[in-house]
Amino acid sequence: MPRKDLSLAEKITILDKIKGYMPHTSHRRLSEITGIPKSTIARLISIQDKLREEWAYNRKQGTPKKRNRQGKDPDVENALNQWFFIVKEQGIYVNGLMLKNKAEDLAKKLGHYDFKATDGWLSRWKCRNNIKLKKEHGEENSADIVNAVEWQSYRLPVLLRAFRADDIYNVDETGLFYRATPNGSLCYSHVTLSGSKKAMDRVTILCCVNISGTNKKKLLVIGKSAIPRCFKGLRMNSLPVEYHANRNAWMTSDIFKQWLIRWDVELQRESRKILLILDNCAAHPKCSECLKNIQLEFLDSNTSSMQQPMAMGIIKNLKVLYREKLINHILQAIEDNLLTSSSTAKEVSAKVNILQAIQFVADSWREMSTKTIQNCFYRCGFKHPNLEISEINENDHNTILQLQQVTNYEDFESVDSAIECYNTNEDCKDEMSEIIGSKYQNEELECEESDEDKTVEPEQVTVKDARKFITGLRRFFMQEGNEGSPLSSLDICADFVRTQSIKNMRQSTFDKFIINN
């Protein structure tokens, strides 16, 4: 006879039914009344306390299970479950990749070196613990595709034949709430995410790259404060991005025009001409007359978001990589004081200054792969004859756009969706033109320090501190093994610090020598 596995609910139903009979009724009599085998009744009665306890727990979780299954390593899973409970209490947004990395880290600490956190194991672990992905809110965007086919069929092929793949660029701006955490997170299924006020500290980022992905232009970041407190002691030209400021952290026609002119001068020195594709908005002035080596190609205002590679995946990848770095920073900051501090993720993210945000976004831009950039251009119809992308299958839209290896992209997608600084409709263009023309066109702004930058003044790093850091890094590389470690780059850094130390040394006068000794 085929074996029938009773679910936990059926077992509880049988026990409740048996409970209604006389206390000393025999198992044989109960079997005749219920139609359940005598051995099954005896086993259920012997473990009824455990079954009822498990039933109460499952009802609290909201998902009753048929069996109480355990994973391949219960110790690691219990430790991960406890860690997950603690970080969720402090409001940290967690994705699957973070859970797998933490599980392997806990396994090493427990001495289980053969443990491997696979996708299948993670899926089963979430199912066993009733953990699901939930969002506070979401929003979908759409794009008008009118005239897109005509532009791609006639105008684009002419441009692709006239320029090399390395000389065709696309540029676009995007807003970034640099202190905001993602909207979605894994959590227990019985938990309801409560929405909270988002951190509205915003910067604008200008991204520019060519079709081949070989030249990612230095990012241009626009903030609200001209000289944030965290910039004290730093040289502006040493930042990993080009930084500007105005009162609203918006891209203005003056900033964009000056950026184009500087780039055009560089191209003249290289005797190189390029094509720059951009959308037709108020912040992008038609200044072709002042450019010699840059040809501007403006897209139609109704189809620019559909045709631009930046809007088809490049900016999304940049933001996903940025959010991943921000979450790792928050998680590390809280985990260092996990059992002694009551700080939440939003409290930690509120202390992220604009200098840290600039470093995160610059690292994210540097890490974006060439393949991803090429695929985004390819999806928009930029199929250059001299650029071969062999891995792309035109019939498979899932392989055309290959995002970076970041899981749960949907968690991050709508964080900055409220930023609409450069809408291309006519009403917004007129409004932007008035604001830009009246406030920012003819003068350089001197912005006061905003509330977001009123943080503790950072301590200056001395040469002595730098030598100490380099010594610590050398020790770390020796601990982990020299194979693959960037010791050569560290030696260059050490030489630079040593040179600075020699420059800062000043010969003491004889009087000072006598006084000091």
Side-chain angles (χ1 to χ4, degrees), residues 463-474:
V463 174
K464 181 179 179 181
D465 294 334
R467 287 198 298 266
K468 183 178 179 181
F469 297 153
I470 290 176
T471 302
L473 285 174
R474 281 202 174 108

Side-chain angles (χ1 to χ4, degrees), residues 132 164 282 364 501:
K132 297 180 180 179
R164 298 185 302 122
S364 303
S501 177

Side-chain angles (χ1 to χ4, degrees), residues 10-22:
E10 292 173 335
K11 294 175 182 178
I12 296 299
T13 302
I14 294 172
L15 289 173
D16 291 340
K17 189 175 182 180
I18 292 174
K19 190 176 180 181
Y21 295 98
M22 296 295 293

Side-chain angles (χ1 to χ4, degrees), residues 74-113:
D75 294 337
V76 175
E77 295 194 1
N78 290 335
L80 182 63
N81 194 18
Q82 294 176 14
W83 174 85
F84 182 74
F85 177 82
I86 294 174
V87 297
K88 288 310 300 173
E89 287 292 320
Q90 296 185 336
I92 300 175
Y93 288 79
V94 183
N95 60 27
L97 182 61
M98 295 165 63
L99 285 174
K100 291 197 294 184
N101 292 338
K102 189 61 183 178
E104 293 181 353
D105 180 59
L106 291 172
K108 292 179 181 178
K109 292 180 179 179
L110 294 173
H112 302 181
Y113 297 102

Side-chain angles (χ1 to χ4, degrees), residues 68-200:
N68 185 19
R69 299 181 182 272
Q70 291 187 342
K72 58 183 179 181
D73 199 324
D75 294 337
V76 175
E77 295 194 1
N78 290 335
L80 182 63
N81 194 18
Q82 294 176 14
W83 174 85
F84 182 74
F85 177 82
I86 294 174
V87 297
K88 288 310 300 173
E89 287 292 320
Q90 296 185 336
I92 300 175
Y93 288 79
V94 183
N95 60 27
L97 182 61
M98 295 165 63
L99 285 174
K100 291 197 294 184
N101 292 338
K102 189 61 183 178
E104 293 181 353
D105 180 59
L106 291 172
K108 292 179 181 178
K109 292 180 179 179
L110 294 173
H112 302 181
Y113 297 102
D114 57 343
F115 178 84
K116 180 66 175 177
T118 62
D119 291 335
W121 168 85
L122 179 62
S123 177
R124 292 187 293 271
W125 180 83
K126 290 190 292 185
C127 183
R128 283 191 292 270
N129 293 277
N130 298 315
I131 295 174
K132 297 180 180 179
L133 175 67
K134 293 187 177 182
K135 290 186 178 181
E136 295 177 4
H137 57 82
E139 183 178 350
E140 295 182 356
N141 297 323
S142 60
D144 187 0
I145 60 173
V146 178
N147 299 327
V149 175
E150 181 179 353
W151 188 88
Q152 290 181 351
S153 301
Y154 299 102
R155 178 60 177 167
L156 182 58
V158 175
L159 296 173
L160 294 177
R161 288 192 297 268
F163 292 87
R164 298 185 302 122
D166 293 343
D167 295 335
I168 300 177
Y169 288 79
N170 179 219
V171 64
D172 198 12
E173 304 93 352
T174 182
L176 177 69
F177 291 141
Y178 65 89
R179 287 174 175 166
T181 52
N183 293 328
S185 173
L186 293 172
C187 64
Y188 296 103
S189 58
H190 66 281
V191 175
T192 301
L193 288 180
S194 58
S196 58
K197 186 177 179 180
K198 289 291 182 183
M200 303 300 290

Side-chain angles (χ1 to χ4, degrees), residues 179-427:
R179 287 174 175 166
T181 52
N183 293 328
S185 173
L186 293 172
C187 64
Y188 296 103
S189 58
H190 66 281
V191 175
T192 301
L193 288 180
S194 58
S196 58
K197 186 177 179 180
K198 289 291 182 183
M200 303 300 290
D201 307 298
R202 179 177 57 81
V203 295
T204 297
I205 303 173
L206 178 75
C207 307
C208 182
V209 69
N210 59 1
I211 289 183
S212 60
T214 57
N215 184 12
K216 290 180 284 187
K217 290 286 294 179
K218 190 175 184 179
L219 295 175
L220 187 148
V221 176
I222 305 173
K224 293 183 179 180
S225 179
I227 305 178
R229 191 182 294 262
C230 57
F231 282 12
K232 184 176 181 180
L234 302 180
R235 297 181 180 179
M236 300 300 290
N237 58 3
S238 66
L239 295 176
V241 301
E242 183 178 337
Y243 183 79
H244 294 268
N246 60 48
R247 194 170 303 170
N248 296 314
W250 282 0
M251 171 61 72
T252 67
S253 57
D254 184 60
I255 294 177
F256 187 78
K257 183 177 180 180
Q258 294 303 320
W259 178 78
L260 280 177
I261 292 175
R262 287 192 298 270
W263 190 13
D264 187 66
V265 172
E266 295 177 6
L267 293 171
Q268 291 179 37
R269 296 196 195 102
E270 300 173 0
S271 300
R272 178 183 169 206
K273 293 187 177 182
I274 67 164
L275 172 69
L276 183 61
I277 299 173
L278 65 166
D279 59 351
N280 187 14
C281 76
H284 297 164
K286 294 178 172 60
C287 56
S288 301
E289 66 281 355
C290 61
L291 302 175
K292 296 181 179 180
N293 288 46
I294 299 179
Q295 177 181 332
L296 301 180
E297 176 69 20
F298 289 93
L299 299 175
D300 184 83
S301 59
N302 294 325
T303 61
S304 58
S305 60
M306 178 66 184
Q307 297 171 349
Q308 284 204 94
M310 286 292 174
M312 298 299 285
I314 296 178
I315 288 177
K316 289 181 180 180
N317 273 272
L318 177 66
K319 290 185 177 182
V320 167
L321 292 172
Y322 175 85
R323 301 294 175 193
E324 186 182 35
K325 294 183 185 304
L326 178 62
I327 289 299
N328 288 335
H329 169 76
I330 295 172
L331 190 62
Q332 186 62 46
I334 290 184
E335 199 170 36
D336 290 342
N337 298 305
L338 196 58
L339 301 179
T340 59
S341 175
S342 59
S343 298
T344 63
K346 299 206 181 292
E347 292 173 352
V348 175
S349 65
K351 296 181 180 179
V352 174
N353 59 44
I354 195 169
L355 181 61
Q356 291 174 304
I358 284 175
Q359 190 61 58
F360 290 160
V361 76
D363 291 342
S364 303
W365 185 241
R366 176 174 47 83
E367 292 174 8
M368 188 177 297
S369 69
T370 301
K371 196 65 180 177
T372 299
I373 295 171
Q374 293 177 358
N375 290 341
C376 293
F377 273 95
Y378 191 94
R379 185 178 182 183
C380 296
F382 290 76
K383 304 174 184 179
H384 200 280
N386 298 331
L387 185 64
E388 296 182 0
I389 307 179
S390 58
E391 297 184 7
I392 292 211
N393 180 6
E394 297 187 27
N395 298 323
D396 187 359
H397 293 286
N398 294 326
T399 59
I400 290 178
L401 176 60
Q402 299 174 357
L403 297 176
Q404 299 286 127
Q405 297 300 316
V406 179
T407 59
N408 294 341
Y409 165 68
E410 293 79 6
D411 309 358
F412 304 87
E413 185 173 13
S414 60
V415 175
D416 301 296
S417 59
I419 303 177
E420 296 292 343
C421 297
Y422 338 98
N423 292 337
T424 54
N425 58 63
E426 295 300 326
D427 295 336

